[in-house]
Amino acid sequence: RQPGETPFIAPLDMALAGAGQHAVETVQIDQFAEDATFSLPFVPTSLVADPSNDLLAQVAITRSAQLSSCPAR
Protein backbone atom coordinates (compact mmCIF):
# COMPACT_ATOMS: atom_id res chain seq x y z
CA ARG A 1 0.00 0.00 0.00
CA GLN A 2 1.08 3.49 -0.82
CA PRO A 3 0.16 6.59 1.23
CA GLY A 4 -3.14 8.03 0.02
CA GLU A 5 -4.04 4.81 -1.82
CA THR A 6 -7.72 3.87 -1.70
CA PRO A 7 -9.04 0.30 -1.69
CA PHE A 8 -11.04 -1.20 -4.53
CA ILE A 9 -14.69 -1.89 -3.79
CA ALA A 10 -15.68 -5.41 -4.80
CA PRO A 11 -17.72 -8.40 -3.68
CA LEU A 12 -15.66 -11.29 -2.28
CA ASP A 13 -17.15 -14.79 -2.12
CA MET A 14 -16.24 -16.90 0.89
CA ALA A 15 -16.80 -20.67 0.72
CA LEU A 16 -17.37 -22.24 4.14
CA ALA A 17 -17.69 -25.95 4.89
CA GLY A 18 -18.09 -28.23 7.87
CA ALA A 19 -20.09 -31.23 9.12
CA GLY A 20 -20.85 -32.32 5.55
CA GLN A 21 -22.45 -28.98 4.72
CA HIS A 22 -21.26 -25.98 2.75
CA ALA A 23 -22.27 -22.40 2.05
CA VAL A 24 -21.00 -19.50 -0.03
CA GLU A 25 -21.36 -16.05 1.52
CA THR A 26 -20.50 -12.77 -0.21
CA VAL A 27 -18.73 -9.95 1.63
CA GLN A 28 -18.61 -6.43 0.18
CA ILE A 29 -14.97 -5.35 0.43
CA ASP A 30 -14.48 -1.59 0.67
CA GLN A 31 -11.55 -1.29 3.09
CA PHE A 32 -8.02 -2.63 3.23
CA ALA A 33 -9.04 -4.81 6.20
CA GLU A 34 -12.53 -6.23 6.71
CA ASP A 35 -14.28 -8.18 9.45
CA ALA A 36 -17.06 -10.55 8.48
CA THR A 37 -19.64 -12.46 10.49
CA PHE A 38 -21.58 -15.38 9.05
CA SER A 39 -24.75 -16.94 10.43
CA LEU A 40 -24.55 -20.60 9.42
CA PRO A 41 -26.48 -23.72 10.44
CA PHE A 42 -23.14 -25.53 11.03
CA VAL A 43 -19.74 -24.84 12.58
CA PRO A 44 -17.30 -24.21 9.72
CA THR A 45 -14.05 -26.14 9.66
CA SER A 46 -12.74 -24.62 6.43
CA LEU A 47 -12.97 -21.29 4.67
CA VAL A 48 -11.77 -20.41 1.18
CA ALA A 49 -11.70 -16.78 0.10
CA ASP A 50 -12.53 -16.20 -3.57
CA PRO A 51 -13.02 -19.90 -4.44
CA SER A 52 -13.55 -19.05 -8.13
CA ASN A 53 -10.40 -16.90 -8.30
CA ASP A 54 -12.38 -13.94 -9.65
CA LEU A 55 -10.25 -11.26 -7.98
CA LEU A 56 -6.58 -10.47 -8.33
CA ALA A 57 -5.97 -9.92 -4.64
CA GLN A 58 -3.88 -10.96 -1.69
CA VAL A 59 -6.20 -12.28 1.04
CA ALA A 60 -5.17 -13.11 4.60
CA ILE A 61 -7.67 -14.78 6.91
CA THR A 62 -7.43 -14.63 10.68
CA ARG A 63 -9.51 -17.12 12.64
CA SER A 64 -11.62 -15.64 15.39
CA ALA A 65 -11.74 -17.25 18.81
CA GLN A 66 -15.48 -16.58 18.81
CA LEU A 67 -16.68 -19.51 16.69
CA SER A 68 -19.99 -20.85 17.94
CA SER A 69 -22.98 -22.76 16.61
CA CYS A 70 -26.12 -20.94 15.58
CA PRO A 71 -29.64 -22.31 16.08
CA ALA A 72 -30.89 -24.44 13.19
CA ARG A 73 -32.80 -22.51 10.55
Side-chain angles (χ1 to χ4, degrees):
R1 269 182 23 202
Q2 300 295 321
E5 187 177 25
T6 58
F8 288 103
I9 299 172
L12 177 64
D13 286 342
M14 306 289 255
L16 301 107
Q21 299 181 58
H22 69 277
V24 176
E25 299 284 334
T26 302
V27 177
Q28 187 68 23
I29 302 296
D30 60 6
Q31 300 178 49
F32 287 111
E34 290 282 347
D35 292 327
T37 301
F38 306 107
S39 180
L40 302 166
F42 60 91
V43 176
T45 55
S46 69
L47 181 139
V48 176
D50 192 21
S52 301
N53 293 315
D54 293 328
L55 297 178
L56 178 59
Q58 180 179 5
V59 178
I61 299 171
T62 303
R63 181 180 177 155
S64 171
Q66 299 179 9
L67 289 178
S68 60
S69 296
C70 296
R73 293 183 198 182

